[in-house]
Amino acid sequence: MQPQILLLKEGTDTSQGKPQLISNINACQSIVDAVRTTLGPRGMDKLIVDSNGKATISNDGATIMKLLDIVHPAAKTLVDIAKSQDAEVGDGTTSVVLLAGEILKQLKGYVEEGVHPRILIKAIRKSLQLCMEKINEMAVHIEKQSEDDQQRALLEKCAATALSSKLIHQQKDFFAKMVVDAVLSLDDLLPLNMIGIKKVSGGSLEESQLVAGVAFKKTFSYAGFEMAPKSYNNCKIALLNIELELKAERDNAEIRVDNVKEYQKVVDAEWQILYKKLNKIHESGANVVLSKLPIGDVATQYFADRDMFCAGRVPEEDLKRTLKACGGAVMTTANDINASVLGQCEYFEERQIGSERFNIFQGCPNARTCTLILRGGAEQFLEETERSLHDAIMIVRRTIKHDSVVAGK
């Protein structure tokens, strides 16, 4: 029997042993050095420009690690560490990368001396056990039944700590209160997707506000929109995935007619189909009509004449949040629309915030939700503010779910 020969793919690197371990540690060290200066209250922000020329200014470890185009497979594990920390805890993404890098740095000397990796891993596991015991000793337990004021003060401190190294650290007290209000306004499971964050350029950071309900930017609208009412009490909401617009049928089909009357019948049939849909929506008793697809000028005018508000091309994320908060169902046909599939809320209004107009639904009965509307100067600044608040929100959620906190230095 001839021995089987395995041919590796061309370009495959089969290096192993001590040199490869040292190479891996060195690669991780270079990544650590790239993010080291962002740590702490005096940490510096990084300006990263991607291949498309889009610039991102950030202090968030996970964001920087994602944007760095890392090729080395061992160094990529550090990116995974930062991502998992961001998903699970929210804050401390830079810290975990630096900690991992420092442990590797300390082990490098032992690897060079020929100590087997198994022995090193055993030592790390032992040190991890000792660290966990020490952390549990130092942890401060929060009594769930303790006074609400005490718990709130602690949550605000946790949020402020998460914000202290961010770009918005000067307004950390203002935002810490807002973040705690946002998380406490949710249901017991604290679903992250029920906190919406919207950005409006212009104004100062202090003009940012928390809306107790669903809010999204006014969508593209056709003629006749200004005639529609801008506020309702106890409104009923129709959520649709229907296009309420006259389509140019020549784009979709070919119709051959031999006289004008036949052509007129085709045009009339098209109008009748649209009017039947609009009439059924009106008869359902809805005041507000939201659709994922466009609502044309005929439909806009039709709804405005009947004191109904409509918005087409609503982003899917906002439609889903409205559905969860206000109830009802997203309908794909106008035939089955009735009172049972309509969402409800206590108050709806369209409000001007800075240069944008927002549609706001408050007093939603099904699920508790809120929206943070952020104000600020440049777009990059607002994006970094959003990332900072995401970290703070995650920390407050985690503090509520777990009953212990460890103070840091």
Side-chain angles (χ1 to χ4, degrees):
M1 287 288 290
Q2 283 286 322
Q4 192 177 3
I5 298 169
L6 287 174
L7 290 174
L8 294 171
K9 190 178 170 186
E10 192 180 341
T12 305
D13 185 3
T14 57
S15 59
Q16 54 189 325
K18 195 195 292 183
Q20 187 56 39
L21 282 173
I22 300 293
S23 164
N24 289 351
I25 291 172
N26 288 342
C28 292
Q29 281 304 122
S30 61
I31 299 297
V32 169
D33 290 338
V35 295
R36 189 190 299 280
T37 51
T38 67
L39 186 70
R42 296 183 186 278
M44 294 182 283
D45 292 354
K46 292 275 179 262
L47 171 61
I48 302 159
V49 182
D50 64 12
S51 54
N52 300 325
K54 184 180 184 293
T56 306
I57 300 169
S58 184
N59 171 286
D60 182 45
T63 306
I64 295 168
M65 297 292 279
K66 282 178 204 166
L67 291 171
L68 289 175
D69 209 1
I70 296 166
V71 179
H72 197 285
K76 276 185 179 175
T77 57
L78 288 182
V79 181
D80 294 337
I81 292 171
K83 280 182 182 174
S84 59
Q85 176 76 1
D86 193 42
E88 192 64 32
V89 182
D91 197 22
T93 47
T94 309
S95 306
V96 290
V97 173
L98 294 187
L99 196 59
E102 196 57 36
I103 290 169
L104 289 172
K105 186 179 173 184
Q106 297 301 324
L107 296 180
K108 188 176 172 183
Y110 294 105
V111 173
E112 286 169 343
E113 286 169 19
V115 180
H116 198 279
R118 273 238 175 118
I119 297 165
L120 297 176
I121 287 293
K122 193 176 176 185
I124 290 172
R125 290 209 173 110
K126 179 69 179 169
S127 63
L128 172 65
Q129 197 182 333
L130 292 170
C131 287
M132 292 299 290
E133 285 169 10
K134 193 68 183 169
I135 284 170
N136 288 331
E137 270 178 45
M138 293 163 63
V140 177
H141 287 273
I142 313 159
E143 294 297 327
K144 292 284 183 190
Q145 287 77 31
S146 68
E147 292 175 34
D148 285 347
D149 292 346
Q150 280 184 341
Q151 190 189 13
R152 189 188 166 81
L154 185 74
L155 292 175
E156 281 183 16
K157 281 179 190 169
C158 291
T161 304
L163 294 170
S164 61
S165 63
K166 306 292 183 190
L167 203 61
I168 53 172
H169 63 92
Q170 288 176 328
Q171 283 86 10
K172 66 180 180 183
D173 293 334
F174 172 77
F175 281 112
K177 286 188 177 73
M178 192 184 281
V179 164
V180 173
D181 285 337
V183 177
L184 291 178
S185 70
L186 298 180
D187 296 326
D188 293 340
L189 290 172
L190 307 176
L192 192 62
N193 61 350
M194 293 308 275
I195 298 179
I197 298 180
K198 303 292 171 191
K199 304 182 285 285
V200 182
S201 295
S204 68
L205 276 172
E206 303 279 338
E207 288 174 38
S208 300
Q209 55 183 282
L210 177 68
V211 175
V214 181
F216 52 83
K217 284 181 189 176
K218 171 175 142 1
T219 56
F220 177 84
S221 50
Y222 287 88
F225 177 80
E226 288 301 339
M227 293 164 64
K230 298 292 183 275
S231 65
Y232 295 99
N233 287 316
N234 298 322
C235 86
K236 291 188 168 69
I237 307 154
L239 302 164
L240 310 174
N241 190 6
I242 307 172
E243 194 167 23
L244 299 172
E245 193 171 35
L246 287 166
K247 298 295 286 179
E249 286 307 329
R250 64 174 175 271
D251 298 340
N252 303 331
E254 184 180 326
I255 302 167
R256 297 194 179 188
V257 291
D258 53 13
N259 59 59
V260 176
K261 283 182 183 174
E262 291 294 320
Y263 178 71
Q264 190 60 44
K265 278 183 187 174
V266 173
V267 174
D268 290 346
E270 197 178 4
W271 279 78
Q272 286 310 118
I273 290 166
L274 179 62
Y275 275 124
K276 273 181 189 171
K277 284 183 189 175
L278 297 176
N279 196 36
K280 279 178 178 164
I281 294 166
H282 171 58
E283 284 173 358
S284 70
N287 312 101
V288 176
V289 180
L290 301 179
S291 180
K292 193 174 154 187
L293 296 173
I295 293 179
D297 45 6
V298 174
T300 304
Q301 193 72 53
Y302 181 95
F303 289 137
D305 291 344
R306 286 154 185 78
D307 287 340
M308 293 164 72
F309 176 93
C310 67
R313 297 179 185 163
V314 177
E316 189 173 5
E317 172 209 344
D318 293 324
L319 200 67
K320 280 183 178 173
R321 212 151 58 86
T322 310
L323 170 68
K324 281 185 183 173
C326 302
V330 176
M331 303 301 289
T332 53
T333 171
N335 294 327
D336 301 325
I337 295 177
N338 54 51
S340 65
V341 298
L342 298 180
Q344 292 180 324
C345 77
E346 286 175 18
Y347 183 64
F348 164 81
E349 74 165 323
E350 185 176 293
R351 193 191 302 166
Q352 187 82 21
I353 298 173
S355 58
E356 303 280 354
R357 280 159 76 170
F358 271 76
N359 298 332
I360 297 171
F361 299 84
Q362 290 178 306
C364 307
N366 271 37
R368 289 154 67 191
T369 180
C370 63
T371 308
L372 293 162
I373 299 174
L374 304 180
R375 305 297 311 280
E379 191 181 328
Q380 290 164 345
F381 182 75
L382 280 171
E383 283 175 8
E384 178 61 5
T385 304
E386 183 184 358
R387 285 191 285 269
S388 305
L389 290 184
H390 171 264
D391 286 5
I393 288 166
M394 292 289 283
I395 287 292
V396 172
R397 283 176 74 232
R398 196 165 179 83
T399 310
I400 293 171
K401 285 183 179 178
H402 298 266
D403 62 347
S404 55
V405 174
V406 180
K409 284 186 180 177

